[in-house]
Each structure stands twice: as C-alpha cells, then as structure tokens.
Amino acid sequence: APLVPHRLVAIARPALKGEGVWRVVATVHGVPAMYATDLRPSRVYTSYVAGLVSMDPRLLRFELRPGSEDPGPGHWHARPVIAPGTRKGLLATFNGGFKIASAAGGFYLNGATAGTLQRGAASLVYYRSGRVAIGVWDRTVRMTPQVVGVRQNLRLILDHGVMPKSVNQDVESSWGATLGGSYYVWRSGIGVTADGRLVYAYGPALTAQSLAGLLKRAGCIDAMQLDINPDWMSFMYYLPKHHPANPTPVNLLPDQLQPADRYYAISSRDFTAVYAK
C-alpha cells in the first residue's frame, strides 16, 4: 500500500488552489512513490511559496554523488553527473549540503573521506540496500559495513519531533552565511517521518526555524538543513515520457535558479540521485 501523506493545513489564509494538497509526481510499478505539494511558510510574506516532496523509501534507491569541486577529486567510485546510460529509472535529484569546509562535518563515500566525520553532527546516511537514514552521528546513526555514504551538515533542526532552541539563535553564524547577511534566504532541508517517509523541503525567504517548521508540519520527526542561497537550490523530478532511458527533468519550483538539467552536466557540488528500485 502506498504511504499517502496527509494534506497539509495552509499557514497563510486564504489558501491557494491546491495548496497543501499532495500530487503524485512519480510511480514505481504503478504504485505512487513520490508526492509533491506547495505551501506558503508565512502568514505575513504570502507571496513566497515553498516546495515539499514526500518519498517512499520502500520503492526508491538513494545514491550520494560527489561534486567535481566539493568534495572534489577522490576515489569516490561515483561520478559527479547523471551520465547517458545511467538515467533509466531516475526519478529525482536534489542538492547536498554546505561546502565540506563549512559543514561542521565530513563527507564519506565508498571508503573515501573528505573532511572528518564529526560525532554529534546531523548526518544523512546511505546504505548498500539503497535506503537512507537521518540522525546524529555516533548517537542514532554510525558507521557499519552496510554504510556506503555519509553527508554531514551542521546539527539537526528537528530531533525526535522537537525543534532545538539553537535553531532560532545566531542564525548567520550557526546556520550559514547568507547573501548580503539576509535573515530570510533560500534554504533546503530533509527529514524522516514516523512512518518512514523521506521529506525534502526548499524555498525562498526561509529561516532555519521556518524550514524546520515546514518539515515538522509535513510529519518529520528528525530533520537537517541542507544547502542555502539561491545558487545551490534544486529539486528535480524526472518524467520518462517516450524516452525512459533519458527522462525529462522538471524543476519542482519554477523559480529555482538552477536549470532542470543541472545534473545532466558535471556538478561542482555533491547531490543525491533517486532511482526506482
């Protein structure tokens, strides 16, 4: 049975047509595997719209990919591009976290490491089976023979359903230097729900607190911030149409700066590719 997310109650009123209503954007063997919706995160700044995606990991396989510049060259045994011949079954891609030097953590892939995996860091962990987990390194997630990738970035913004007090403190020094020192900026994050769904959220004019609020509203109990600022934001889903070996990429939010085919060319930054199982 598909994991169908509950409709999200609109924050800004009156609600826009379809706001908070999940629509299917990908299926696997005829079963909905990925839903998307839009939600305005503020009752005051109602012109800004965030995008959210709910993913069913039972039907999906997640792969960590390195960037050509960050983490840079290494024995990653993975390419910084979704090259022709490797696109069949591709359903989604999304951006990684801060540059490794600024992430307060490390990057691990197929036995190679950039930076240092830090105890206590928020970690997105990739396993040989294709599943992922989100948690605190060496507390709720740790290195095992089944781990093939780890992407750390700062601290959790949701921890067992609770937003830590630090999420709304020292925003620029703790949660990323923004363009022009702005308080509200493009941000992205990812979380896991109690029923096992993975939820990605991004949008303009977000604080770390409002990003955490979006993920919590979508049912997440553990969540972490990924990258910030408009140059790095991207979530694309892929439509097989008449060319399943070369699916057509579609931006989730039409106003994201990066083009839909961003990862069909070599990427300077790390990212996640999502395939059908």
Side-chain angles (χ1 to χ4, degrees), residues 80-84 87 90 92-95 202 231-239 246-254 256-269 271-272:
V81 60
I82 307 296
R87 298 172 181 172
L90 179 66
T93 48
F94 57 86
N95 59 275
Y202 77 141
D231 281 346
W232 310 116
M233 299 297 96
S234 58
F235 189 102
M236 289 76 83
Y237 59 93
Y238 295 77
L239 301 177
N246 192 39
T248 301
V250 179
N251 284 343
L252 179 64
L253 288 179
Q256 76 173 42
L257 188 61
Q258 290 289 348
D261 61 355
R262 173 184 184 183
Y263 298 119
Y264 277 4
I266 291 176
S267 174
S268 64
R269 302 283 290 273
F271 64 97
T272 295

Side-chain angles (χ1 to χ4, degrees), residues 55-64 94 109 123-135 137 140-151 190 192 196-198 272-277:
M55 295 172 276
D56 186 344
R58 302 172 305 171
L59 300 170
L60 304 171
R61 175 169 52 88
F62 297 83
E63 295 184 2
L64 178 60
F94 57 86
L109 184 58
S123 304
L124 179 58
V125 184
Y126 303 72
Y127 295 89
R128 296 188 189 282
S129 64
R131 75 177 183 93
V132 292
I134 296 171
W137 192 248
T140 57
V141 290
R142 53 187 50 86
M143 186 60 70
T144 72
Q146 298 305 311
V147 172
V148 294
V150 181
R151 201 344 169 162
I190 192 164
V192 63
R197 293 178 292 113
L198 203 69
T272 295
V274 186
Y275 288 86
K277 278 189 176 179

Side-chain angles (χ1 to χ4, degrees), residues 82-102:
I82 307 296
T86 67
R87 298 172 181 172
K88 187 174 182 180
L90 179 66
L91 295 181
T93 48
F94 57 86
N95 59 275
F98 288 9
K99 288 186 175 181
I100 305 302
S102 304

Side-chain angles (χ1 to χ4, degrees), residues 4-5 17-26 32-39 50-54 237 250-254:
V4 182
K17 183 179 180 180
E19 187 173 11
V21 178
W22 297 94
R23 63 189 186 277
V24 177
V25 293
M34 195 177 301
Y35 295 83
T37 191
D38 301 324
L39 197 69
L52 297 99
V53 181
S54 175
Y237 59 93
V250 179
N251 284 343
L252 179 64
L253 288 179

Side-chain angles (χ1 to χ4, degrees), residues 14 29 71 76 83 106 112 120 149 152 192 213 261:
H29 307 305
W76 307 118
Q152 295 187 325
V192 63
D261 61 355

